Amino acid sequence: MSVRPTMPEELLAAKRLLAVSDLSDSDIHYILDLAEHYAGFVQRSAPAPKRLAGKTQINLFFEDSTRTNLSFELAGVKLGADIINVPVSASSIHKGESLVDTAQTMAAMGADVMVVRAREEALHSTLDKVLNCAVVNGGAGAKEHPTQALLDAATIRAEFGDIEGRVIAVCGDVKHSRVAGSNAHLLSRLGAEVRFVGPAHLMPADDQFTNIPRIDNLKDGLDGADIAMALRMQFERMGDDAGTAARGYYEEFGLTHDTIKLAKPHARVMHPGPMNRGVEIDGALADDKELSLILRQVFYGVPTRMACLDALLTRGE
Ligand code: NCD
């Protein structure tokens, strides 16, 4: 069994996890080490220390989620927290209550941490200001999804042993993807060479991510890549462009057993899920047990979120 990593002297000074920028370098390394430590418990079906016993975790997801919501729930359960999932479909927002009022009401019931997913990108920082509990971003509009980036980093580290110097091609609908944004920030900070690959209309605005190269063809985009990370076409965020955004995409940029050969021989594919088979990735490649890390990413969701909750709620203990 791995040894529990030593907590850095200062841990999560921001007291929240809304964006990758809330994490110091030592926070990132500690969370990744702790995630690996907890991965051992999950793998062996061994009980983890109940470090969150007595703490209350509320999961407030205003947008659809399978992986993120469930893995936050499992993470909290394994650490012994009391957990409430708020089914937003049954909450009072349908009676006209604002999202902030809904969250404040939940927090007043004694929450220690609230995990929030919402389309509104500013909501998380508003909640961080008005609530007395820690706020964790479980997905904010097209902007940030820091725990997804952390679990992706944990997956890459587990597969390759390191992240520094790895070439990571983030492919597809970068423009509407909070996963792409958080991964670009986190993986670059960990020394990876991140690049965005896709047609111009799916790239972010020119003044964003100016340090990340953009490549508009798969041949150059995958050249020398260790990882091809596919993104879901986020049709629900495209407005009027949704009908045409994916036209011709699969033929030119789709990840398949053929196109992955453009990358390094040992290259692996990733996808945060949910995936659209035949839209951004071929189902046979996604299911390839050797080349695809997709289910490994799902696995790492639980220990990584255990590490995040533990780090946030037991700072200084
Ligand atoms: C992503 C999300 O919701 O941000 N999925 C996830 O959390 N695993 C990506 C997506 O919706 O495409």
Side-chain angles (χ1 to χ4, degrees), residues 40-60:
F41 287 88
V42 179
Q43 224 142 25
R44 285 178 284 114
S45 301
K50 300 289 175 271
R51 291 179 48 91
L52 300 192
K55 309 268 190 199
T56 301
Q57 172 187 339
I58 294 186
N59 296 332
L60 192 53

Side-chain angles (χ1 to χ4, degrees), residues 64 67-68 117 145 148 178-179 232 234 236-237 272-274 305:
D64 294 345
R67 278 151 275 261
T68 306
R117 169 171 286 197
H145 195 356
Q148 178 71 39
R178 51 194 175 210
V179 176
R232 183 175 65 86
Q234 334 242 330
E236 76 280 14
R237 299 194 188 125
R305 289 172 173 130

